[in-house]
Amino acid sequence: MDILLKGGTVVSSYGCRKADILVSGEKIAEIGDNLSADNRQVIDVSGKLLFPGFIDAHTHFDLETSVFTADNFETGSKAALCGGTTTVVDFSTQNRGETLAQALKNWHDKADGKTSCDYAFHMSVSEWNEKTEKEMDDMITEGITSFKLYMAYDNLRVSDAEMYEILKKVKELHGIVGTHCENGDLVNELIKDELAAGHTEPKYHPVSRPPIVEAEAIKRYLAVAELADVPVNIVHLSSEEGYKEVVRARENGQKVYVETCPQYLVLDDSSLETGVAGDLPPDTDKFAGAKFVFSPPMRKKSDSECLWQAIAEDKIDTISTDHCSFNYKGDKELGRSAFNKIPNGIPGVEHRPVIIYSYGVKQGRITVEQMCKLLSENIAKLFGMYPKKGVLAVGSDADIVVWSPDEQWTISKENQHHNCDYTPYEGMRVTGRAKDVFLRGTQVVKDGEIVKEKIGKYVYRNESIYF
Ligand code: URP
Ligand code: ZN
Ligand code: ZN
């Protein structure tokens, strides 16, 4: 039976409007005033905001580093849905010695039949040769139009020459490259320096990856992109120094897309010493700062303010999470002897919408329309899913978040759906909640809990829309 969402406020990037939404099968069939309730299942959504399903373009589910991530596609996708995220774009990663086809198969094996939200993959390229180049054409056929490069991590990073070749190829394919910008050589040196000085605790992690290491990599990446004459994306921008390089390149006429993540907006490096978020009393466990070890690392409050300002001015295009969860017990603890052995990454796929709503919209930094753009519409455009995803419009997938705008609650490991024994946002008071969530017309979340599992489909993506 068709579903009628009645009396809600439909959010888009250009405004909010009170309207009913009619869902027929997997699609939105009609949006309008006072739509007929005859022969339809009517759901009263008055007083609620209706967002297009949020899209997280930066997750790492079922990733093996020194250990496996705590969340796989089964658990991570359910957590995503509970927070209002209906599509994730995870990173299929080519280990050196593997073909792209093999990497893609590995990721399909991890995700297919197990995932509760819709999903797509970027392809991380770590080895560049003639075969890889040919295989990039095949990736387009496989629905992959975005590629990831690393400038840090010795097992993954590419040289400047390889980056140049890859960017030229992606230009030909009308795709988009997103790059992890940190100077890997300098990070290695700085880690050595810190350890040699006996600095082994988590708080030295950011010392080994200061903003200049990010800014230098961004500057070099954008120089390579300028030579290749192609728009590029920067993932997880963390620092004011890095942002200044973006501004400089844009002033020079370059098209640069920027992603940041909630952790760079609402956390700062003091948590590496206290082991807790914000102003909570410090954890008595001196190693608890490991819960906040990820890369690029947390910065100063002034960096967060710079990023918020850039977001408010529409200079940052997307907010995703870099969800890469590791349990504290057993996994993060691998680094008790030295901070560089702590698995890098934090959980967050569930909490992104509520953090951005609470600290962005409710605190007056951004509008609800901007939130819609940053968490859904821009991501759908850049990664070739628009207007199937990213907008509530007739003919689009009926991925709909029914958002309670005034509910107040506290984030905790006790109420999260991540398969992780902690959350870095423990104790944060937030406002708003994804009450009900629809994925292609099926209700998958009711009152904040999963009611339908494992119906996620792989999304074949088109060329990027460069907005
Ligand atoms: O610490 C992080 N971010 N881990 C995930 C891999 C990456 O760098 O994106
Ligand atoms: Zn990264
Ligand atoms: Zn990442």
Side-chain angles (χ1 to χ4, degrees):
M1 187 189 268
D2 290 353
I3 298 170
L4 185 66
L5 299 179
K6 203 153 187 55
T9 298
V10 178
V11 184
S12 76
S13 63
Y14 49 85
C16 291
R17 157 187 182 205
K18 266 206 140 182
D20 301 340
I21 296 184
L22 179 65
V23 175
S24 184
E26 296 199 338
K27 302 286 180 188
I28 294 175
E30 204 176 339
I31 301 179
D33 299 333
N34 302 315
L35 298 185
S36 162
D38 291 353
N39 296 320
R40 288 162 181 173
Q41 181 197 344
V42 179
I43 301 177
D44 177 9
V45 291
S46 49
K48 306 290 186 290
L49 297 173
L50 304 180
F51 284 100
F54 299 120
I55 306 170
D56 191 332
H58 196 147
T59 64
H60 300 277
F61 294 157
D62 206 356
L63 179 71
E64 187 176 10
T65 56
S66 53
V67 284
F68 272 97
T69 50
D71 280 297
N72 54 25
F73 279 84
E74 182 170 343
T75 62
S77 64
K78 284 196 271 185
L81 285 176
C82 289
T85 293
T86 50
T87 305
V88 297
V89 193
D90 204 86
F91 291 92
S92 170
T93 302
Q94 176 202 32
N95 297 310
R96 295 217 179 107
E98 275 178 3
T99 60
L100 298 187
Q102 221 164 342
L104 181 58
K105 180 179 180 311
N106 292 345
W107 253 258
H108 274 299
D109 288 348
K110 288 170 192 276
D112 295 352
K114 300 170 198 144
T115 306
S116 291
C117 63
D118 280 358
Y119 58 100
F121 304 129
H122 311 281
M123 179 57 69
S124 299
V125 179
S126 68
E127 188 170 315
W128 181 244
N129 52 42
E130 269 178 28
K131 184 162 170 51
T132 322
E133 182 173 359
K134 287 205 184 66
E135 277 201 290
M136 282 177 71
D137 297 309
D138 305 337
M139 290 300 111
I140 303 295
T141 319
E142 297 292 340
I144 292 181
T145 52
S146 52
F147 298 86
K148 164 94 177 273
L149 301 178
Y150 289 89
M151 297 174 83
Y153 303 129
D154 291 343
N155 58 328
L156 294 172
R157 61 179 157 138
V158 294
S159 69
D160 295 350
E162 289 166 332
M163 177 185 280
Y164 177 61
E165 297 281 330
I166 294 167
L167 287 181
K168 282 194 297 183
K169 180 68 187 174
V170 171
K171 179 181 180 184
E172 193 187 304
L173 300 174
H174 300 282
I176 189 84
V177 168
T179 294
H180 175 125
C181 296
E182 286 186 299
N183 181 319
D185 281 340
L186 291 179
V187 168
N188 291 343
E189 287 304 305
L190 294 174
I191 290 173
K192 267 196 255 165
D193 286 352
E194 291 310 309
L195 296 181
H199 297 162
T200 57
E201 301 102 295
K203 68 178 178 188
Y204 294 106
H205 171 70
V207 182
S208 71
R209 314 177 91 104
I212 191 168
V213 159
E214 180 178 62
E216 186 282 330
I218 290 176
K219 185 173 181 167
R220 187 157 35 97
Y221 173 46
L222 296 182
V224 178
E226 185 183 359
L227 288 171
D229 188 26
V230 63
V232 287
N233 185 30
I234 294 167
V235 299
H236 52 43
L237 178 74
S238 67
S239 66
E240 179 169 13
E241 227 169 306
Y243 177 63
K244 282 184 178 157
E245 292 301 333
V246 175
V247 172
R248 194 193 53 77
R250 285 178 175 161
E251 280 170 2
N252 197 29
Q254 265 183 272
K255 190 83 188 146
V256 184
Y257 296 97
V258 177
E259 170 201 272
T260 191
C261 310
Q263 54 269 36
Y264 302 117
L265 299 170
V266 300
L267 300 174
D268 65 76
D269 61 0
S270 62
S271 295
L272 284 148
E273 286 210 55
T274 62
V276 293
D279 300 328
L280 294 176
D283 200 313
T284 49
D285 175 356
K286 292 289 174 223
F287 186 65
K291 295 175 181 172
F292 299 86
V293 167
F294 47 83
S295 298
M298 285 185 295
R299 307 296 187 188
K300 305 283 177 211
K301 283 197 171 74
S302 56
D303 291 282
S304 304
E305 281 315 315
C306 164
L307 296 177
W308 272 121
Q309 187 59 33
I311 289 171
E313 292 169 3
D314 292 329
K315 301 280 171 44
I316 285 181
D317 306 284
T318 63
I319 301 177
S320 287
T321 59
D322 198 6
H323 176 103
C324 188
S325 57
F326 295 100
N327 283 315
Y328 179 66
K329 287 263 165 267
D331 294 345
K332 289 280 186 184
E333 284 183 329
L334 291 169
R336 274 198 187 270
S337 61
F339 68 83
N340 64 324
K341 297 203 171 65
I342 300 169
N344 276 211
I346 54 166
V349 71
E350 178 175 0
H351 295 137
R352 174 187 62 141
V354 76
I355 288 172
I356 300 306
Y357 185 76
S358 302
Y359 289 81
V361 177
K362 287 305 246 187
Q363 292 196 7
R365 290 177 163 119
I366 59 170
T367 64
V368 79
E369 290 87 354
Q370 284 177 300
M371 171 168 163
C372 179
K373 213 158 47 165
L374 289 156
L375 270 59
S376 188
E377 184 180 305
N378 283 355
I379 299 178
K381 286 180 174 166
L382 190 59
F383 298 112
M385 292 182 271
Y386 188 87
K388 178 180 163 70
K389 310 269 187 203
V391 63
L392 295 176
V394 172
S396 295
D397 280 359
D399 297 346
I400 305 169
V401 182
V402 180
W403 188 263
S404 290
D406 299 316
E407 208 175 316
Q408 299 201 337
W409 56 288
T410 302
I411 296 178
S412 164
K413 67 176 183 194
E414 313 300 339
N415 60 24
Q416 73 174 350
H417 296 82
H418 302 133
N419 184 38
C420 194
D421 62 4
Y422 81 98
T423 161
Y425 305 112
E426 184 73 40
M428 270 190 185
R429 286 290 295 162
V430 286
T431 305
R433 187 194 282 278
K435 182 182 175 294
D436 298 330
V437 180
F438 294 81
L439 177 67
R440 282 176 285 100
T442 298
Q443 184 158 10
V444 285
V445 170
K446 196 170 179 357
D447 283 327
E449 296 299 332
I450 295 282
V451 289
K452 184 91 183 165
E453 294 186 17
K454 297 185 185 171
I455 62 161
K457 279 191 189 164
Y458 176 70
V459 183
Y460 284 82
R461 294 183 290 118
N462 299 318
E463 290 177 358
S464 298
I465 297 176
Y466 298 140
F467 51 87

